[in-house]
Amino acid sequence: MMTKEEYIEALQGVKRPLIKAHDEIAGVADFMEARLQTEKEFADSRVYGTVCYALGILEEQITSIGNQITKLKK
């Protein structure tokens, strides 16, 4: 059986690469934003929409893991 500290370490081990992935994908989004000129281009860009969707999922998971870590530390 894992100890509370081992659970925290495991969650932190998952959270770190998720944050790294988020940062890298955010860089792609910034690159795309610099090239999309109008609201219509943003709305019509399926790739940009996919990038934003992926960022949203990552943010939710990072938050969820952070909340789990916080609860375990109490």
Side-chain angles (χ1 to χ4, degrees):
M1 180 156 167
M2 291 178 72
T3 67
K4 185 165 69 168
E5 290 76 23
E6 289 171 328
Y7 278 121
I8 291 170
E9 286 178 31
L11 288 169
Q12 289 171 334
V14 172
K15 187 177 174 186
R16 279 189 292 274
L18 290 177
I19 291 170
K20 183 178 179 189
H22 180 277
D23 292 346
E24 290 178 10
I25 294 170
V28 172
D30 291 344
F31 177 81
M32 293 179 77
E33 287 174 3
R35 278 144 184 78
L36 296 171
Q37 301 295 317
T38 65
E39 290 297 318
K40 181 165 178 20
E41 287 178 351
F42 278 99
D44 290 344
S45 177
R46 294 182 80 194
V47 174
Y48 182 73
T50 300
V51 168
C52 291
Y53 181 73
L55 285 173
I57 291 172
L58 286 169
E59 289 167 3
E60 288 175 2
Q61 294 305 309
I62 291 165
T63 300
S64 175
I65 290 169
N67 290 339
Q68 291 176 52
I69 292 169
T70 300
K71 285 179 185 177
L72 284 169
K73 287 184 175 181
K74 289 183 178 180

